[in-house]
Amino acid sequence: MSERYDIAIIGSGPAGLSAALNASIRNKKFILFGTKEISNKLVKAHKINNYLGFYGKSGKEIRDEFANHIKAMNIEIEEDKINSIYSMGDYFALMGTKNNYEASSIILATGVNFGKPFKGEEEFLGRGVGYCATCDAPLYKDKVVTIISYNKHEESEANFISSIASKVYYIPMYKEEVEVEPSIEIIKDIPIEIVGDQFVSKLILKNQEIETDGIFILRDSISPGQLVPGLKLDGNHIEVNRSMKTNIEGCFAAGDVVGTPYQYIKAAGEGNIAALSAVSYLDQQNKK
Ligand SMILES: Cc1cc2nc3c(=O)[nH]c(=O)nc-3n(C[C@H](O)[C@H](O)[C@H](O)COP(=O)(O)OP(=O)(O)OC[C@H]3O[C@@H](n4cnc5c(N)ncnc54)[C@H](O)[C@@H]3O)c2cc1C
């Protein structure tokens, strides 16, 4: 029989780490899954000015601060990818690539999962390619920005960036009518490849090419319902209440995976709430 943890935290970004340090402070037996790199998205960020207390630091510097913090608290990251999780009633069975695990409660902090990336997307992530137009908008003052959008809700992001950039191309990947500022050029075509040298310079589409300084890809996430069968979703995100509780007893979620805005500080705050909620859940279970 495998060892039973009080809490299994899936994801080592700001949401997962924040959950882990609160689980540690509350003396719970927990396991944290992810990567020692912490979060690919954190490492790729140029400069982060909206995380309290770290003004002007790069994503790598903040990653190092996070790593030092968890090290000082003797928190280890288990480098295993969790492929599926099953609720077994009073505990969860987790199937990892390397091992299987058991935990009385779980916190899902997996970030937003993307579909198949465009050619050049990963290569230029953080070098002209981004996923949050609002976060990176100041970098594109008086520059040309292209937005590839999978959801009508993102039109507001395009409108916002058009007030900063010199030119905005908007490529809708959805069928609804597009309603954006008249200054935004709408292109109905299929993106194929992102190209550039040090930074992005061009987007190649099926029928044309456009010169651009930045490309935001605003995608919907792949359903986390695949990870935990029976999990209630709100669109492509996990549905939670203010205590970060999901519809499954003992299952909590935090960070990008529960919805926008996709921001470090929001993810960390939700990780804190999720851990405290998991602790009270465990305390209640123990009283039964
Ligand atoms: C280039 C770039 C710049 C950004 N700039 C800013 C900014 O300036 N300000 C800001 O507030 N936000 C910014 N963001 C957004 C920010 O990165 C996210 O909001 C934040 O990282 C979300 O944290 P998270 O913990 O929810 O998820 P993530 O940081 O995505 O972390 C999730 C972690 O979980 C791991 N994981 C996922 N699935 C599994 C699994 N099944 N098993 C094990 N591990 C798993 C992943 O490997 C990853 O390490 C930026 C994003 C990018 C890409």
Short mmCIF file of all heavy atoms in Angstrom, two decimals, residues 241-281:
data_model
loop_
_atom_site.label_atom_id
_atom_site.label_comp_id
_atom_site.label_asym_id
_atom_site.label_seq_id
_atom_site.Cartn_x
_atom_site.Cartn_y
_atom_site.Cartn_z
N ASN A 241 -15.57 27.75 -5.54
CA ASN A 241 -16.20 28.83 -4.79
C ASN A 241 -15.10 29.69 -4.15
O ASN A 241 -13.92 29.51 -4.44
CB ASN A 241 -17.19 28.27 -3.75
CG ASN A 241 -16.49 27.46 -2.67
OD1 ASN A 241 -15.26 27.48 -2.57
ND2 ASN A 241 -17.26 26.78 -1.86
N ARG A 242 -15.47 30.59 -3.28
CA ARG A 242 -14.47 31.51 -2.70
C ARG A 242 -13.45 30.81 -1.81
O ARG A 242 -12.40 31.36 -1.49
CB ARG A 242 -15.17 32.63 -1.92
CG ARG A 242 -15.64 33.75 -2.82
CD ARG A 242 -16.30 34.87 -2.03
NE ARG A 242 -15.43 35.43 -1.00
CZ ARG A 242 -14.48 36.34 -1.24
NH1 ARG A 242 -14.29 36.79 -2.46
NH2 ARG A 242 -13.74 36.79 -0.26
N SER A 243 -13.77 29.57 -1.38
CA SER A 243 -12.80 28.79 -0.59
C SER A 243 -11.94 27.92 -1.49
O SER A 243 -11.21 27.07 -1.00
CB SER A 243 -13.54 27.90 0.40
OG SER A 243 -14.42 28.65 1.18
N MET A 244 -12.06 28.11 -2.81
CA MET A 244 -11.32 27.34 -3.82
C MET A 244 -11.71 25.85 -3.80
O MET A 244 -10.94 24.98 -4.19
CB MET A 244 -9.78 27.49 -3.67
CG MET A 244 -9.27 28.90 -3.50
SD MET A 244 -10.02 30.14 -4.60
CE MET A 244 -9.43 29.68 -6.18
N LYS A 245 -12.94 25.59 -3.34
CA LYS A 245 -13.46 24.21 -3.33
C LYS A 245 -14.05 23.89 -4.69
O LYS A 245 -14.76 24.72 -5.25
CB LYS A 245 -14.62 24.12 -2.35
CG LYS A 245 -14.26 23.80 -0.96
CD LYS A 245 -15.55 23.58 -0.18
CE LYS A 245 -15.28 23.66 1.30
NZ LYS A 245 -16.49 23.66 2.09
N THR A 246 -13.81 22.69 -5.18
CA THR A 246 -14.45 22.25 -6.43
C THR A 246 -15.72 21.46 -6.05
O THR A 246 -16.05 21.37 -4.87
CB THR A 246 -13.51 21.33 -7.23
OG1 THR A 246 -13.41 20.09 -6.52
CG2 THR A 246 -12.13 21.95 -7.42
N ASN A 247 -16.36 20.87 -7.04
CA ASN A 247 -17.56 20.06 -6.76
C ASN A 247 -17.22 18.72 -6.12
O ASN A 247 -18.11 18.04 -5.62
CB ASN A 247 -18.35 19.83 -8.06
CG ASN A 247 -17.59 18.96 -9.04
OD1 ASN A 247 -16.43 19.23 -9.33
ND2 ASN A 247 -18.21 17.93 -9.56
N ILE A 248 -15.94 18.34 -6.13
CA ILE A 248 -15.56 17.03 -5.56
C ILE A 248 -15.03 17.26 -4.13
O ILE A 248 -14.13 18.08 -3.92
CB ILE A 248 -14.49 16.33 -6.44
CG1 ILE A 248 -15.06 16.06 -7.83
CG2 ILE A 248 -14.00 15.04 -5.78
CD1 ILE A 248 -14.05 15.49 -8.82
N GLU A 249 -15.60 16.54 -3.18
CA GLU A 249 -15.18 16.63 -1.77
C GLU A 249 -13.67 16.43 -1.65
O GLU A 249 -13.13 15.45 -2.18
CB GLU A 249 -15.83 15.48 -0.97
CG GLU A 249 -17.20 15.77 -0.44
CD GLU A 249 -17.13 16.56 0.86
OE1 GLU A 249 -16.85 15.94 1.90
OE2 GLU A 249 -17.34 17.78 0.82
N GLY A 250 -13.01 17.34 -0.98
CA GLY A 250 -11.57 17.18 -0.74
C GLY A 250 -10.70 17.65 -1.90
O GLY A 250 -9.48 17.56 -1.82
N CYS A 251 -11.32 18.13 -2.96
CA CYS A 251 -10.55 18.59 -4.13
C CYS A 251 -10.67 20.11 -4.25
O CYS A 251 -11.78 20.64 -4.35
CB CYS A 251 -11.07 17.90 -5.40
SG CYS A 251 -10.32 18.55 -6.91
N PHE A 252 -9.52 20.77 -4.23
CA PHE A 252 -9.47 22.24 -4.30
C PHE A 252 -8.64 22.62 -5.53
O PHE A 252 -7.89 21.81 -6.07
CB PHE A 252 -8.84 22.80 -3.02
CG PHE A 252 -9.56 22.33 -1.78
CD1 PHE A 252 -9.26 21.09 -1.21
CD2 PHE A 252 -10.58 23.08 -1.23
CE1 PHE A 252 -9.96 20.63 -0.10
CE2 PHE A 252 -11.29 22.63 -0.12
CZ PHE A 252 -10.99 21.40 0.45
N ALA A 253 -8.79 23.87 -5.98
CA ALA A 253 -8.03 24.30 -7.16
C ALA A 253 -7.67 25.76 -7.02
O ALA A 253 -8.37 26.53 -6.34
CB ALA A 253 -8.85 24.05 -8.42
N ALA A 254 -6.56 26.16 -7.65
CA ALA A 254 -6.07 27.54 -7.51
C ALA A 254 -5.22 27.93 -8.71
O ALA A 254 -4.61 27.09 -9.37
CB ALA A 254 -5.23 27.64 -6.24
N GLY A 255 -5.17 29.23 -8.98
CA GLY A 255 -4.29 29.75 -10.03
C GLY A 255 -4.99 29.87 -11.38
O GLY A 255 -6.23 29.90 -11.47
N ASP A 256 -4.19 29.93 -12.43
CA ASP A 256 -4.73 30.12 -13.78
C ASP A 256 -5.82 29.10 -14.12
O ASP A 256 -6.76 29.40 -14.87
CB ASP A 256 -3.61 29.98 -14.83
CG ASP A 256 -2.71 31.21 -14.91
OD1 ASP A 256 -2.92 32.15 -14.12
OD2 ASP A 256 -1.80 31.21 -15.76
N VAL A 257 -5.67 27.88 -13.56
CA VAL A 257 -6.59 26.79 -13.92
C VAL A 257 -8.04 27.09 -13.51
O VAL A 257 -8.97 26.52 -14.06
CB VAL A 257 -6.06 25.45 -13.35
CG1 VAL A 257 -6.31 25.32 -11.84
CG2 VAL A 257 -6.63 24.26 -14.07
N VAL A 258 -8.24 28.03 -12.57
CA VAL A 258 -9.61 28.35 -12.17
C VAL A 258 -10.13 29.59 -12.89
O VAL A 258 -11.29 29.96 -12.72
CB VAL A 258 -9.80 28.49 -10.64
CG1 VAL A 258 -9.33 27.26 -9.91
CG2 VAL A 258 -9.14 29.73 -10.08
N GLY A 259 -9.30 30.24 -13.68
CA GLY A 259 -9.81 31.36 -14.48
C GLY A 259 -8.94 32.59 -14.47
O GLY A 259 -7.94 32.67 -13.76
N THR A 260 -9.36 33.55 -15.31
CA THR A 260 -8.62 34.81 -15.44
C THR A 260 -8.93 35.71 -14.23
O THR A 260 -9.94 35.48 -13.55
CB THR A 260 -9.02 35.53 -16.73
OG1 THR A 260 -10.44 35.71 -16.71
CG2 THR A 260 -8.60 34.74 -17.96
N PRO A 261 -8.14 36.75 -13.97
CA PRO A 261 -6.94 37.16 -14.70
C PRO A 261 -5.76 36.22 -14.43
O PRO A 261 -5.58 35.76 -13.31
CB PRO A 261 -6.65 38.56 -14.15
CG PRO A 261 -7.22 38.57 -12.78
CD PRO A 261 -8.43 37.67 -12.84
N TYR A 262 -4.99 35.97 -15.46
CA TYR A 262 -3.81 35.13 -15.31
C TYR A 262 -2.69 36.00 -14.74
O TYR A 262 -2.00 36.70 -15.48
CB TYR A 262 -3.39 34.53 -16.66
CG TYR A 262 -4.44 33.64 -17.30
CD1 TYR A 262 -4.57 33.60 -18.68
CD2 TYR A 262 -5.26 32.83 -16.53
CE1 TYR A 262 -5.52 32.78 -19.28
CE2 TYR A 262 -6.20 32.01 -17.12
CZ TYR A 262 -6.33 31.99 -18.49
OH TYR A 262 -7.27 31.18 -19.08
N GLN A 263 -2.52 35.95 -13.45
CA GLN A 263 -1.54 36.81 -12.78
C GLN A 263 -0.88 36.03 -11.64
O GLN A 263 -1.55 35.25 -10.95
CB GLN A 263 -2.23 38.04 -12.18
CG GLN A 263 -3.10 38.80 -13.16
CD GLN A 263 -2.36 39.90 -13.89
OE1 GLN A 263 -2.28 41.00 -13.41
NE2 GLN A 263 -1.84 39.61 -15.06
N TYR A 264 0.40 36.32 -11.41
CA TYR A 264 1.14 35.61 -10.36
C TYR A 264 0.51 35.81 -8.98
O TYR A 264 0.35 34.89 -8.21
CB TYR A 264 2.59 36.11 -10.28
CG TYR A 264 3.35 35.91 -11.55
CD1 TYR A 264 3.83 37.00 -12.26
CD2 TYR A 264 3.59 34.63 -12.04
CE1 TYR A 264 4.53 36.82 -13.44
CE2 TYR A 264 4.29 34.44 -13.21
CZ TYR A 264 4.76 35.55 -13.92
OH TYR A 264 5.43 35.37 -15.08
N ILE A 265 0.19 37.08 -8.70
CA ILE A 265 -0.26 37.39 -7.33
C ILE A 265 -1.63 36.79 -7.04
O ILE A 265 -1.91 36.35 -5.93
CB ILE A 265 -0.19 38.91 -7.06
CG1 ILE A 265 -0.09 39.16 -5.57
CG2 ILE A 265 -1.33 39.68 -7.70
CD1 ILE A 265 0.73 40.36 -5.19
N LYS A 266 -2.45 36.72 -8.07
CA LYS A 266 -3.77 36.11 -7.91
C LYS A 266 -3.59 34.60 -7.70
O LYS A 266 -4.22 33.99 -6.83
CB LYS A 266 -4.62 36.40 -9.16
CG LYS A 266 -5.97 35.74 -9.19
CD LYS A 266 -6.04 34.85 -10.40
CE LYS A 266 -7.34 34.16 -10.58
NZ LYS A 266 -7.14 32.84 -11.19
N ALA A 267 -2.66 34.00 -8.45
CA ALA A 267 -2.40 32.56 -8.32
C ALA A 267 -1.89 32.25 -6.91
O ALA A 267 -2.36 31.31 -6.26
CB ALA A 267 -1.39 32.11 -9.37
N ALA A 268 -0.95 33.06 -6.44
CA ALA A 268 -0.36 32.82 -5.10
C ALA A 268 -1.43 32.99 -4.02
O ALA A 268 -1.51 32.19 -3.08
CB ALA A 268 0.80 33.78 -4.86
N GLY A 269 -2.27 34.01 -4.15
CA GLY A 269 -3.33 34.24 -3.16
C GLY A 269 -4.31 33.08 -3.12
O GLY A 269 -4.71 32.62 -2.04
N GLU A 270 -4.66 32.59 -4.30
CA GLU A 270 -5.61 31.46 -4.34
C GLU A 270 -4.97 30.18 -3.79
O GLU A 270 -5.66 29.36 -3.18
CB GLU A 270 -6.09 31.24 -5.77
CG GLU A 270 -7.01 32.35 -6.24
CD GLU A 270 -7.47 32.17 -7.67
OE1 GLU A 270 -6.90 31.34 -8.40
OE2 GLU A 270 -8.39 32.90 -8.08
N GLY A 271 -3.67 30.01 -4.01
CA GLY A 271 -2.97 28.83 -3.45
C GLY A 271 -3.04 28.85 -1.94
O GLY A 271 -3.26 27.81 -1.29
N ASN A 272 -2.91 30.03 -1.37
CA ASN A 272 -3.01 30.20 0.08
C ASN A 272 -4.40 29.77 0.57
O ASN A 272 -4.53 28.98 1.51
CB ASN A 272 -2.71 31.68 0.38
CG ASN A 272 -3.10 32.11 1.77
OD1 ASN A 272 -4.27 32.22 2.07
ND2 ASN A 272 -2.12 32.38 2.61
N ILE A 273 -5.43 30.27 -0.10
CA ILE A 273 -6.81 29.94 0.31
C ILE A 273 -7.06 28.43 0.17
O ILE A 273 -7.62 27.80 1.07
CB ILE A 273 -7.86 30.72 -0.53
CG1 ILE A 273 -7.67 32.23 -0.37
CG2 ILE A 273 -9.28 30.31 -0.15
CD1 ILE A 273 -8.50 33.07 -1.33
N ALA A 274 -6.62 27.87 -0.96
CA ALA A 274 -6.85 26.44 -1.21
C ALA A 274 -6.22 25.59 -0.10
O ALA A 274 -6.84 24.62 0.37
CB ALA A 274 -6.30 26.05 -2.57
N ALA A 275 -5.00 25.95 0.31
CA ALA A 275 -4.32 25.16 1.35
C ALA A 275 -5.08 25.26 2.67
O ALA A 275 -5.29 24.25 3.36
CB ALA A 275 -2.88 25.65 1.53
N LEU A 276 -5.50 26.48 3.03
CA LEU A 276 -6.22 26.63 4.30
C LEU A 276 -7.55 25.89 4.25
O LEU A 276 -7.98 25.29 5.25
CB LEU A 276 -6.42 28.12 4.62
CG LEU A 276 -5.11 28.91 4.81
CD1 LEU A 276 -5.40 30.36 5.16
CD2 LEU A 276 -4.21 28.29 5.86
N SER A 277 -8.20 25.88 3.09
CA SER A 277 -9.46 25.15 2.95
C SER A 277 -9.22 23.64 3.06
O SER A 277 -10.02 22.93 3.67
CB SER A 277 -10.12 25.46 1.61
OG SER A 277 -10.44 26.82 1.55
N ALA A 278 -8.13 23.18 2.47
CA ALA A 278 -7.80 21.75 2.56
C ALA A 278 -7.53 21.37 4.01
O ALA A 278 -7.95 20.30 4.48
CB ALA A 278 -6.58 21.43 1.68
N VAL A 279 -6.85 22.25 4.75
CA VAL A 279 -6.56 21.98 6.17
C VAL A 279 -7.87 21.86 6.95
O VAL A 279 -8.06 20.92 7.74
CB VAL A 279 -5.65 23.09 6.76
CG1 VAL A 279 -5.55 22.97 8.28
CG2 VAL A 279 -4.26 23.03 6.14
N SER A 280 -8.82 22.81 6.73
CA SER A 280 -10.08 22.66 7.50
C SER A 280 -10.85 21.43 7.06
O SER A 280 -11.49 20.78 7.90
CB SER A 280 -10.99 23.90 7.46
OG SER A 280 -10.73 24.72 6.45
N TYR A 281 -10.77 21.06 5.79
CA TYR A 281 -11.43 19.83 5.33
C TYR A 281 -10.85 18.61 6.08
O TYR A 281 -11.59 17.76 6.59
CB TYR A 281 -11.25 19.68 3.82
CG TYR A 281 -11.61 18.32 3.29
CD1 TYR A 281 -12.94 17.96 3.09
CD2 TYR A 281 -10.62 17.38 3.00
CE1 TYR A 281 -13.28 16.70 2.62
CE2 TYR A 281 -10.95 16.12 2.53
CZ TYR A 281 -12.27 15.78 2.35
OH TYR A 281 -12.60 14.53 1.88
#
